[in-house]
């Protein structure tokens, strides 16, 4: 596979030019801070001899920032990269990007001064809304730039847990019993929905926003008062709310890598410091433990890995994903909880740790992800994308 254009070095063998990799991070979601840490790790893992890293920050206000200047990525395939906005140097834009500046400087080797221009590939590390839900992927498709990870459909399905469960059920994957509530339904009162939940599976149960990540807005309800409070909290983050039956379970995760022929890592287990793996247990409390590989039987390991690939394919994913499972402590049944299409790349994140335990170090992992993105783009470009009838009545087809 080609890694880039070749440049002449005079006499002797020509050297390959470095690929320009735009790493997009930040964003307007509640996972902004997590994205900054993930981006720092990704940028430091990219080999500077092979890649020119272009750090692209998105502020909490939605401004795109490159080296402190306001920029934009137009949906124009003739540009295929960044443009600097003339009026983008206002002081408040730079101030809003101050958190992102720390990530850029952490990349080192003068990478923060990268100019705008064409990009060979994008590595999106924007977690949550506006980055993981298909919106950013749609922009990159219009701009005709290869990007790491799932496409528009897979990203949207992977973000919306309610729709994800619909797909999983249709694919015959085991999921936990749950009910879905729309925020508009709260206007007519919550008692009927609460009664439905109590009759279906009772307490404890978990309440979460359908579109969210890092366990933000997730609560465990042990009684009716808890459930009412949890519904109100989840409704502050999303218009769709999921209530799931509480399962006394171990939390197992597995990493997936690939396009049409995905590979899976060894499974890992999370032992949360708190009652469940909430935001504090993930990123603040240092007492949570990651067991890699997970202490599972051979059959349990096979089951988790098989379900990981089935879930990946059911959502039509590509590039990467982390599949999360519940392993019932009593029945030992395995349930697919969710799939994360832009998993964390922080120093404590499971996705890279599981691949490292499987024999794929972090630098090689990001290299594989970039190659997979270019491979998928090459396949897209081979497809026929237009139709024009000819004068003799025969079809005239044109590739993209």
């Amino acid at each position: 596979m080609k890694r880039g254009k070749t440049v002449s070095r005079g006499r002797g063998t020509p050297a390959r030019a470095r690929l320009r990799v735009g790493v997009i991070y930040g964003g307007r979601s509640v996972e902004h801070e997590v994205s900054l840490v993930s981006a720092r790790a990704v940028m430091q893992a990219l080999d500077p001899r092979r890649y020119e890293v272009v750090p692209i920050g998105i502020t909490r206000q939605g401004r795109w920032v490159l080296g402190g200047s306001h920029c934009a990525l137009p949906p124009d395939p003739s540009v295929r990269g960044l443009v600097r906005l003339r009026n983008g140097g206002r002081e408040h834009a730079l101030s809003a990007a101050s958190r992102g500046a720390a990530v850029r400087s952490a990349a080192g080797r003068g990478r923060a001064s990268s100019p705008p221009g064409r990009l060979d590939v994008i590595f999106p590390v924007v977690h949550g809304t506006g980055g993981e839900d298909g919106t950013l992927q749609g922009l990159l498709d219009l701009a005709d730039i290869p990007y790491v990870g799932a496409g528009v459909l897979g990203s949207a399905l992977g973000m919306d847990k309610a729709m994800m469960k619909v797909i999983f059920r249709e694919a015959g994957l085991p999921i936990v019993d749950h009910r879905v509530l729309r925020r508009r339904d709260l206007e007519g009162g919550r008692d009927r929905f609460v009664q439905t939940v109590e009759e279906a599976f009772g307490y404890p149960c978990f309440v979460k926003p359908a579109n969210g990540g890092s366990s933000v807005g997730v609560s465990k309800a042990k009684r009716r008062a808890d459930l009412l409070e949890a519904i109100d909290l989840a409704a502050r983050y999303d218009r769709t709310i999921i209530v799931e039956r509480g399962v006394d379970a171990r939390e197992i995760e597995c990493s997936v890598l690939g396009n049409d022929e995905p590979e899976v890592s060894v499974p890992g287990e999370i032992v949360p410091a708190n009652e469940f793996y909430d935001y504090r247990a993930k990123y603040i409390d240092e007492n949570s433990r990651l067991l890699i590989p997970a202490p599972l039987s051979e059959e349990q390991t096979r089951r988790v890995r098989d379900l990981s690939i089935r879930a990946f394919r059911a959502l039509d994913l590509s590039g990467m994903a982390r599949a999360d499972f519940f392993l019932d402590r009593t029945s030992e049944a395995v349930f697919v909880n969710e799939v994360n299409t832009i998993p964390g790349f922080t120093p404590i994140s499971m996705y890279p740790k599981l691949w490292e335990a499987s024999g794929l170090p972090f630098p090689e992992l990001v290299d594989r992800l970039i190659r997979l993105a270019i491979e998928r783009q090459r396949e897209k470009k081979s497809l026929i994308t237009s139709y024009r009838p000819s004068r003799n009545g025969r079809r005239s087809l044109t590739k993209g």
Side-chain angles (χ1 to χ4, degrees):
M1 177 180 294
K2 294 182 180 178
R3 299 290 180 84
K5 301 175 182 178
T6 59
V7 294
S8 175
R9 301 173 66 182
R11 297 180 181 179
T13 305
R16 293 187 184 277
R18 296 187 301 169
L19 286 179
R20 296 195 87 217
V21 181
V23 179
I24 304 180
Y25 59 93
R28 292 183 288 177
S29 84
V30 295
E31 298 181 84
H32 181 98
E33 295 293 334
V34 180
S35 174
L36 302 188
V37 182
S38 289
R40 180 186 298 119
V42 169
M43 288 190 283
Q44 291 177 338
L46 288 166
D47 186 349
R49 296 169 300 179
R50 302 172 59 193
Y51 303 110
E52 177 191 348
V53 177
V54 182
I56 307 165
I58 302 178
T59 71
R60 294 183 186 278
Q61 293 72 37
R63 286 182 173 272
W64 288 49
V65 180
L66 176 66
S69 298
H70 191 186
C71 67
L73 194 154
D76 185 339
S78 68
V79 178
R80 292 197 66 210
L82 297 169
V83 295
R84 200 183 302 276
L85 301 183
R86 288 185 177 181
N87 64 341
R90 291 173 290 195
E91 288 185 6
H92 72 275
L94 182 58
S95 174
S98 59
R99 288 293 297 163
V103 182
R104 289 191 294 273
S105 63
R109 296 183 178 88
R111 291 175 176 173
S113 60
S114 297
R118 291 177 70 87
L119 297 167
D120 294 308
V121 64
I122 292 285
F123 201 126
V125 201
V126 181
H127 301 306
T129 307
E132 201 169 352
D133 56 3
T135 53
L136 177 59
Q137 290 73 19
L139 172 62
L140 298 176
D141 278 338
L142 289 173
D144 197 26
I145 304 175
Y147 56 90
V148 170
V152 174
L153 175 62
S155 297
L157 291 173
M159 186 68 185
D160 191 320
K161 298 178 181 64
M163 294 307 301
M164 184 192 306
K165 291 179 183 296
V166 170
I167 300 297
F168 285 166
R169 181 186 289 116
E170 183 67 22
L173 298 174
I175 58 175
V176 174
D177 193 10
H178 67 284
R179 297 294 183 272
V180 176
L181 172 69
R182 307 294 178 186
R183 189 164 58 182
R184 66 174 180 270
D185 298 333
L186 296 176
E187 298 174 0
R190 299 167 298 179
D191 292 342
R192 180 180 300 178
F193 179 77
V194 169
Q195 183 177 352
T196 300
V197 169
E198 290 175 335
E199 292 175 352
F201 43 76
Y203 303 98
C205 59
F206 286 89
V207 184
K208 59 184 73 174
N211 292 272
S214 293
S215 299
V216 175
V218 177
S219 306
K220 183 177 183 179
K222 300 179 180 179
R223 58 188 68 86
R224 174 172 284 208
D226 295 342
L227 178 56
L228 293 171
E229 184 178 343
I231 289 173
D232 288 340
L233 175 63
R236 293 170 57 187
Y237 292 97
D238 195 35
R239 59 183 291 274
T240 306
I241 302 158
I242 296 178
V243 181
E244 291 180 344
R245 174 174 65 89
V247 180
D248 180 19
R250 298 163 61 187
E251 297 192 40
I252 310 297
E253 297 186 352
C254 200
S255 296
V256 187
L257 176 69
N259 290 334
D260 294 333
E261 298 296 332
E263 305 172 42
V264 288
S265 69
V266 299
E269 180 173 0
I270 295 169
V271 183
N274 299 335
E275 191 170 8
F276 68 97
Y277 203 40
D278 59 5
Y279 188 95
R280 174 169 291 276
K282 288 180 178 180
Y283 304 113
I284 300 174
D285 197 322
E286 298 180 355
N287 294 321
S288 294
R289 292 185 295 139
L290 307 181
L291 306 181
I292 304 174
L296 302 173
S297 68
E298 185 175 331
E299 172 57 26
Q300 289 170 334
T301 298
R302 185 202 63 77
R303 175 73 168 155
V304 166
R305 299 184 75 194
D306 176 66
L307 287 174
S308 296
I309 290 182
R310 289 176 59 190
F312 188 88
R313 287 176 167 161
L315 298 180
D316 191 29
L317 302 185
S318 55
M320 61 182 174
R322 191 196 69 236
D324 301 347
F325 301 89
F326 293 133
L327 175 57
D328 192 301
R329 296 181 188 276
T330 302
S331 67
E332 296 192 345
V334 177
F335 299 99
V336 182
N337 177 28
E338 64 182 47
V339 169
N340 192 310
T341 58
I342 302 184
F345 282 89
T346 74
I348 61 172
S349 295
M350 268 288 207
Y351 186 79
K353 280 183 171 292
L354 290 175
W355 279 119
E356 189 159 4
S358 303
L360 188 63
F362 202 150
E364 294 182 24
L365 172 61
V366 296
D367 183 68
R368 282 279 301 277
L369 287 168
I370 288 173
R371 282 188 280 135
L372 286 167
I374 295 173
E375 172 189 297
R376 187 185 59 180
Q377 181 76 355
R378 184 180 294 117
E379 181 184 22
K380 286 182 182 178
K381 302 294 283 187
S382 71
L383 299 176
I384 294 171
T385 57
S386 65
Y387 169 81
R388 184 177 65 255
S390 63
R391 292 182 178 179
N392 60 9
R394 295 182 179 179
R395 292 179 297 175
S396 177
L397 305 177
T398 306
K399 292 185 178 180

